[in-house]
Every structure is written in C-alpha cells, then in structure tokens.
Amino acid sequence: GGQYSVWLAQALQAAGRTKEAVGLLQTCESHPDSDVRKISESVLYVLRAPELKLGEENFVRIDFASEGPPSEWGRWKPKPRDPDDEPPEMYSLEWYVEEFEKRQALGQPAEREGAAAETALVLLGAVGVLAALSLAL
C-alpha cells in the first residue's frame, strides 16, 4: 500500500514526472497509517521546494592526474619490511624485554612486584630439573 506509493512517487520524481509524483503523495496524506501520512508529507515538502540551481563555481575540482592511474586509487601499499626489523618471536626473552620497555614508555606499572623474581625462580628450578634428569641418564 502506502509505502509503495511513496516509493513510486520518488521514482516518478526521479524520472522527471513531478506532477504525477505530487498527486500520488497528496493521495497518501489521507492514508489510514500515520507513518505513511508522515513520510508522504515529508517527501511532498521536498518535492514542492524550489529547485536549487548550482553553477560551476559552487563545485570543487580535484586534479586526479597527480594521483596516478585510476587502477591504483584507493589501494593501500604496505611499506617494504626490512628483515632486521622483524619483531622477536612471541614469548622469547627479547619479546619480554621489548614488552617491558613498551610498558615503561607508556607509564604502565609492572604486573606485580616480585613477579620477575618468581619467574626467575621457576626457570631456575626447571633448568635444575633438566640438569638432574640429564645426569640420571
């Protein structure tokens, strides 16, 4: 019903048949659905508004010749990566040092006091267990 009439009126206006579109929207003003009445009144208001005449001076011209061929517009090109700039492997000693330095630069506190000492003790214990196992073999 009513919504299709509003859409048809918009299509008629786009096709240059404004008088027919206005007539169709005027019939929708008495539609039983309040939403259709409200939308048709809004669209009718726009259709009855005077047409805006814009000249060439009202538009901005952009010179695309400096941007390269159109096939390359809008394409993001990653910077070539230097193999020396590769981030360290996650959870390696270098990774932990880098993460610590990042957090210090951001002013974030360490996770907990003594966490580094606990980690060192766990690692030392693991090395001791491995050494004992290698001696037993």
Side-chain angles (χ1 to χ4, degrees), residues 9-110:
Q10 289 175 328
L12 288 170
Q13 191 272 336
R17 298 163 55 183
T18 307
K19 288 184 181 179
E20 292 177 52
V22 168
L24 186 57
L25 288 170
Q26 286 173 340
T27 61
C28 290
E29 287 181 329
S30 60
H31 196 276
D33 187 356
S34 64
D35 289 336
V36 173
R37 286 194 307 266
K38 190 184 303 182
I39 292 170
S40 65
E41 288 172 6
S42 299
V43 174
L44 189 58
Y45 177 80
V46 171
L47 289 182
R48 287 182 175 162
E51 189 175 334
L52 185 61
K53 304 286 184 193
L54 296 175
E56 189 69 29
E57 67 276 357
N58 298 109
F59 295 94
V60 175
R61 296 198 55 79
I62 300 172
D63 180 26
F64 288 110
S66 63
E67 299 295 322
S71 61
E72 294 181 9
W73 292 352
R75 292 193 181 187
W76 178 75
K77 296 177 185 169
K79 293 187 280 185
R81 293 188 74 166
D82 185 13
D84 296 336
D85 289 342
E86 291 288 322
E89 185 178 334
M90 193 173 243
Y91 304 118
S92 66
L93 183 59
E94 293 84 9
W95 182 82
Y96 279 109
V97 169
E98 196 172 280
E99 288 296 310
F100 178 76
E101 289 171 352
K102 284 182 193 175
R103 288 190 178 149
Q104 272 190 329
L106 294 175
Q108 294 178 349

